[in-house]
Amino acid sequence: MDMKTVTNASAAWWALAAHYEKIKDVHLRTLFSEDPGRAQRFSADGAGLFLDYSKNRITDETLRLLFALAESRGVTARRDAMFRGEKINNTERRAVLHVALRAPRDARIEVDGTNVVPDVHEVLDRMAGFAEQIRGGSWTGHTGKRIKTIVNIGIGGSYLGPEMAYRALRPYSDRGMSFRFVANVDGADFSEAVQGLDAAETLFIVSSKTFTTLETMTNAATARRWVVERLGTDAAVARHFVAVSTNEAGVRDFGIDTVNMFGFWDWVGGRYSMDGAIGLSTMVAIGPEHFRDMLAGFHAMDEHFRTAPAERNLPMLLGLLTVWYNNFFGAQTLGVMPYAAHLGRFPAYLQQLQMESNGKHVDLQGRPIGYQTGPVIWGEPGTDGQHSFYQLIHQGTKLIPCDLIGFLQPLSPIASQHDLLMANLFAQAEALAFGKTAREVAAGGVPEWQVPFRVFEGNRPTNLILADRLDPHTLGALVALYEHSVFTQGAIWDIDSFDQWGVELGKALALRIVPELDSRQDAALAHDSSTNALIDRYRRASQARGN
Ligand code: G6Q
């Protein structure tokens, strides 16, 4: 617990710290045996998702104190300010309105006195028109062939959401088409993505909010050369490239007709943008109708977050539980394990959403913070993780709260395996919570000397999130659940969850070193001795390979 260094902690914070001292050694076994109504009381529904949070190390008193903390930190007031379009992204002086991307046509959300909802729907309608042309075959490539493959070029927020959503919703996608993603500036990423493709049937979506990002611009230029070399003319670019961006001039300079540009706005952060134009590849894959179902799922969770009382408010509960473990139990990480192969990239998506948003060291006034902010997020699909790192969660020395996500209905035609998948999910949550005592182990006939190795302490907290099936609506609700959980955490910690100065730094740093890597350069290097030596070693290797 890092309370000792908290300088501006409220009474609510200190009350939680005192409560932690009382509860820290209480076992979930005791909490369950003393309270038969626990599972029912500590569960809630919203936007088609069911959350069982009873296997957390909490009591009614914990919740009461966490809600008091939220109240004292003004979480609901800040939430309402976000929905009203106020400029709550303090350091960039911007509104934070990803909720407007999924607002219904007749909603009204103003930024600087202008209702932004009609603009959102104008872009969505244009995206739908484009998606239909591609899917229906009326948009053809330069040689008149139908487009069969879409390659999304983008990185960070312009990549992780589209790739995650495509994988998650593949069963709803047009199986006659393929979708590939290029993010890394490593040329291998591009080469692999275009392996075996016919340029005449390939369309690139260059996705970049700024249209200046080094990786994306480099890959886009490579793609352009790849198309022009194969189709023999610059004129091919018009039929094989479209752009998603806020930078019209940049798109035009690249040679893409701005008729084929799909815009968004500075009030949409990159990691909050998969439900707008950045989701163009998703819309082409699953079609406009399914995309609208996904937006409806997002919106349903927005409404739930906006209106449900704290004790039934899923994002609020998830956010507060994260704070509980992060700041009072000293948990450094949070595991997210989807029991669904289609959600293979969901942990990576959440990693950016959470860690870029809440990995901050100063408060909204720029003052250093004396408490822990965002945890490390990580995870892999169950059941795969069970055969690798779950060991440490069960029997290691660290406390790792986990969110386990499952679906009642299978998506796969091999439905018979679904029982096995779900049995694993329920069994893991049970084992993590209740463990196995020495007496239970010994009763199984285990030799005495082996007993300590086979004891499971238990008391490992989990949230269990269940939905009927993984479909577009559910995915939208699930992503919005985490967006608003992140929001809740950020409001408690009094940080700006919507800037990303750490990313901006990375964008600038490499540019200084690029020219220094040229092996013909022999100008003295002015970095530290380690960086100088590394650059020098690279130059020599380049010389050796004749570059
Ligand atoms: C997201 C971040 C970051 C961003 C990428 C790509 O919130 O700002 O991940 O999405 O750096 O930026 P562009 O879309 O401008 O290329």
Side-chain angles (χ1 to χ4, degrees), residues 146-461:
R146 193 178 169 141
I147 299 296
K148 286 205 184 130
T149 302
I150 301 284
V151 182
N152 185 78
I153 300 180
I155 196 163
S158 301
Y159 153 63
L160 285 160
E163 195 199 30
M164 180 278 289
Y166 170 61
R167 291 218 197 170
L169 300 177
R170 228 168 154 171
Y172 303 85
S173 72
D174 181 340
R175 299 289 195 166
M177 295 187 68
S178 74
F179 294 80
R180 302 185 185 190
F181 299 85
V182 179
N184 202 310
V185 76
D186 181 348
D189 206 19
F190 181 86
S191 310
E192 287 299 334
V194 296
Q195 239 345 289
L197 295 185
D198 176 355
E201 299 176 338
T202 304
L203 182 128
F204 291 90
I205 301 178
V206 185
S207 295
S208 175
K209 181 173 168 181
T210 54
F211 231 72
T212 56
T213 305
L214 177 81
E215 290 90 336
T216 302
M217 290 302 103
T218 306
N219 280 322
T222 302
R224 195 181 200 286
R225 278 196 306 278
W226 185 84
V227 166
V228 171
E229 267 165 27
R230 280 159 186 74
L231 300 182
T233 165
D234 279 340
V237 171
R239 303 301 296 172
H240 294 270
F241 284 84
V242 298
V244 177
S245 188
T246 56
N247 177 356
E248 206 173 315
V251 169
R252 200 177 304 114
D253 288 350
F254 182 83
I256 296 174
D257 188 343
T258 49
V259 172
N260 300 321
M261 163 179 160
F262 301 87
F264 56 120
W265 306 271
D266 71 356
W267 40 260
V268 183
R271 57 195 174 278
Y272 295 89
S273 65
M274 60 165 277
D275 45 337
I278 290 290
L280 186 61
S281 60
T282 316
M283 196 193 266
V284 176
I286 64 174
E289 212 169 300
H290 281 137
F291 195 85
R292 291 210 156 91
D293 287 346
M294 184 178 82
L295 297 185
F298 270 101
H299 181 65
M301 185 55 77
D302 294 343
E303 285 304 284
H304 171 82
F305 179 52
R306 203 172 61 78
T307 59
E311 58 281 6
R312 282 191 285 115
N313 194 310
L314 270 51
M316 193 89 86
L317 287 163
L318 273 195
L320 290 172
L321 287 165
T322 304
V323 170
W324 177 228
Y325 294 117
N326 187 68
N327 294 94
F328 298 92
F329 281 79
Q332 295 280 337
T333 80
L334 171 68
V336 182
M337 317 297 167
Y339 278 70
H342 283 111
L343 284 181
R345 290 293 279 165
F346 194 57
Y349 174 78
L350 289 186
Q351 231 162 31
Q352 178 185 27
L353 181 66
Q354 289 248 9
M355 292 167 74
E356 206 168 275
S357 297
N358 285 341
K360 307 291 162 65
H361 71 129
V362 291
D363 70 9
L364 284 171
Q365 274 68 49
R367 296 174 301 207
I369 299 180
Y371 44 88
Q372 292 288 317
T373 58
V376 173
I377 305 294
W378 63 285
E380 281 288 328
T383 57
D384 310 17
Q386 289 172 212
H387 296 267
S388 63
F389 53 77
Y390 272 42
Q391 165 66 35
L392 186 147
I393 307 177
H394 278 292
Q395 288 191 306
T397 52
K398 295 180 170 58
L399 178 72
I400 303 180
C402 290
D403 291 354
L404 309 178
I405 304 170
F407 301 92
L408 299 173
Q409 312 293 339
L411 267 193
S412 154
I414 316 165
S416 57
Q417 292 186 199
H418 202 61
D419 289 355
L420 289 176
L421 177 67
M422 296 304 283
N424 270 286
L425 164 55
F426 298 143
Q428 287 297 325
E430 189 176 27
L432 287 164
F434 303 111
K436 205 166 188 186
T437 61
R439 188 183 306 169
E440 285 164 348
V441 174
V446 167
E448 205 185 322
W449 68 267
Q450 222 183 41
V451 169
F453 301 98
R454 300 179 66 163
V455 164
F456 289 75
E457 196 185 300
N459 222 11
R460 270 68 171 159

Side-chain angles (χ1 to χ4, degrees), residues 49-204:
L49 303 185
F50 171 75
L51 169 67
D52 173 359
Y53 60 99
S54 63
K55 293 193 188 81
N56 278 291
R57 292 167 68 171
I58 56 168
T59 61
D60 293 297
E61 177 68 355
T62 323
L63 282 182
R64 193 184 65 71
L65 293 171
L66 285 170
F67 296 147
L69 176 67
E71 195 53 41
S72 75
R73 291 292 203 166
V75 175
T76 50
R78 200 164 156 73
R79 173 197 66 192
D80 296 342
M82 171 175 76
F83 277 91
R84 276 197 305 273
E86 285 177 26
K87 298 197 170 144
I88 63 161
N89 175 354
N90 219 32
T91 71
E92 296 181 312
R93 302 269 186 270
R94 286 176 182 166
V96 173
L97 272 182
H98 40 281
V99 294
L101 295 177
R102 55 264 193 159
R105 236 174 248 281
D106 58 358
R108 191 175 175 86
I109 303 176
E110 290 185 4
V111 176
D112 295 329
T114 306
N115 181 15
V116 297
V117 178
D119 292 352
V120 166
H121 282 273
E122 192 258 333
V123 172
L124 282 173
D125 291 343
R126 286 184 48 234
M127 287 165 64
F130 172 75
E132 293 296 18
Q133 282 182 55
I134 297 280
R135 289 164 64 86
S138 62
W139 178 294
T140 50
H142 180 69
T143 65
K145 280 189 168 176
R146 193 178 169 141
I147 299 296
K148 286 205 184 130
T149 302
I150 301 284
V151 182
N152 185 78
I153 300 180
I155 196 163
S158 301
Y159 153 63
L160 285 160
E163 195 199 30
M164 180 278 289
Y166 170 61
R167 291 218 197 170
L169 300 177
R170 228 168 154 171
Y172 303 85
S173 72
D174 181 340
R175 299 289 195 166
M177 295 187 68
S178 74
F179 294 80
R180 302 185 185 190
F181 299 85
V182 179
N184 202 310
V185 76
D186 181 348
D189 206 19
F190 181 86
S191 310
E192 287 299 334
V194 296
Q195 239 345 289
L197 295 185
D198 176 355
E201 299 176 338
T202 304
L203 182 128
F204 291 90

Side-chain angles (χ1 to χ4, degrees), residues 512-527:
R512 175 177 166 203
I513 296 185
V514 172
E516 295 174 348
L517 294 183
D518 185 337
S519 58
R520 288 158 307 190
Q521 274 272 5
D522 53 7
L525 294 165
H527 302 269

Side-chain angles (χ1 to χ4, degrees), residues 510-542:
L511 293 179
R512 175 177 166 203
I513 296 185
V514 172
E516 295 174 348
L517 294 183
D518 185 337
S519 58
R520 288 158 307 190
Q521 274 272 5
D522 53 7
L525 294 165
H527 302 269
D528 56 278
S529 60
S530 161
T531 309
N532 287 347
L534 291 167
I535 293 173
D536 192 51
R537 179 174 281 261
Y538 183 84
R539 279 182 184 169
R540 280 185 277 119
S542 305

